[in-house]
Amino acid sequence: MGEISKIPQHVSIIMDGNGRWARLRGLERLEGHKEGVGSVRASLELAVELKIKYLSLFAFSTENWSRPKDEVEGLWNLMFKAIERETEFLIENHVRVLILGNLEQLPQDLQAAVHGLVEATSGGTGTTLIIMMNYSGKWDIMQAANRFSKENPGVEMRPEDMDNYLVTASIPDPDLLIRTSGEERISNYMLWQTAYTEFYFTKVFWPDFRKSEFRLALEE
């Protein structure tokens, strides 16, 4: 491995390719999502090791609701299990978790679990792990503009106002955006926040994106 000359403050990842990874192996799509959970853990471990301050992951877009019902429900179940399994690791490694997006549309029991995880890790002083759930860049800009206009009637919105009303207002914009699986687009993700972000695209499917692949992206 080469030398990482500068550690980014905020790395964001579009986790893509779970379904294709599974199909190539003759498996159901959900098996790809299950294997992808291991890549989430590996990426977070490296972020903690390298003291990356913010790691954000695009876990579920608003467009994903169009997927088969059993796949969507399987994803919620995976999230439940991951919360139960990983909370202790997160607390021990001082990781703070934020879940951002249109969370009101999530199942009630998942909303409760998500809020519990955020509360349990709120004291973390190391890496902040941001999970983007039921999120889209267009939705984020629209909700920011709507909230601003309601709170500031008759006032013209400025760029810095938009920064303060996005769901990511509490965190810096990404320095590096990684997308796996060979697709070279950002798919309605952090449209405002990535205006000055470096992009890194890899053909590796998300379930195979482990520490070595993450390091390659950082080196590049």
Side-chain angles (χ1 to χ4, degrees):
M1 290 291 179
E3 188 71 24
I4 302 173
S5 59
K6 183 179 180 182
I7 301 298
Q9 178 180 215
H10 180 183
V11 178
S12 193
I13 305 177
I14 298 176
M15 307 179 292
D16 193 22
N18 291 343
R20 278 167 286 169
W21 181 93
R23 187 171 63 247
L24 286 172
R25 290 159 177 78
L27 303 171
E28 296 292 330
R29 288 177 57 87
L30 193 58
E31 295 303 314
H33 296 308
K34 290 178 181 178
E35 189 67 23
V37 173
S39 295
V40 172
R41 175 65 176 269
S43 297
L44 178 58
E45 286 179 353
L46 186 61
V48 170
E49 291 170 18
L50 297 179
K51 294 181 172 57
I52 294 173
K53 192 63 179 173
Y54 300 91
L55 175 66
S56 57
L57 305 175
F58 196 13
F60 190 89
S61 75
T62 55
E63 290 84 2
N64 287 156
W65 287 106
S66 63
R67 293 184 177 185
K69 183 180 179 180
D70 59 343
E71 182 180 351
V72 173
E73 290 179 349
L75 287 169
W76 299 149
N77 189 43
L78 282 177
M79 176 63 78
F80 270 121
K81 291 181 178 178
I83 290 174
E84 292 177 353
R85 185 176 59 249
E86 301 295 341
T87 299
E88 184 177 351
F89 168 83
L90 296 167
I91 293 173
E92 288 179 351
N93 287 274
H94 312 291
V95 175
R96 178 175 66 126
V97 178
L98 298 177
I99 313 288
L100 303 180
N102 189 1
L103 304 184
E104 293 180 356
Q105 292 184 347
L106 300 180
Q108 290 293 324
D109 50 356
L110 181 57
Q111 287 187 45
V114 160
H115 290 311
L117 176 63
V118 171
E119 178 63 27
T121 62
S122 61
T125 57
T127 298
T128 295
L129 174 64
I130 304 126
I131 306 295
M132 310 300 283
M133 289 283 293
N134 197 31
Y135 175 87
S136 85
K138 290 180 179 180
W139 165 83
D140 197 5
I141 291 170
M142 287 296 297
Q143 67 82 29
N146 287 336
R147 283 201 300 127
F148 178 84
S149 64
K150 287 179 180 179
E151 295 179 14
N152 305 275
V155 177
E156 183 175 345
M157 194 177 202
R158 304 165 299 173
E160 55 266 36
D161 296 322
M162 180 66 75
D163 291 333
N164 293 329
Y165 278 81
L166 295 169
V167 296
T168 54
S170 63
I171 59 177
D173 292 341
D175 303 296
L176 172 66
L177 175 64
I178 300 168
R179 179 167 185 156
T180 59
S181 87
E183 301 289 347
E184 298 187 0
R185 49 194 168 86
I186 60 173
S187 297
N188 196 12
Y189 178 59
M190 285 202 194
L191 300 178
W192 182 274
Q193 299 91 328
T194 55
Y196 293 97
T197 299
E198 296 279 352
F199 292 83
Y200 178 87
F201 302 107
T202 174
K203 295 183 183 302
V204 175
F205 293 135
W206 177 247
D208 292 326
F209 188 89
R210 301 301 167 108
K211 289 185 180 182
S212 58
E213 288 75 23
F214 195 0
R215 289 192 67 92
L216 284 173
L218 294 171
E219 291 165 12
E220 179 68 20

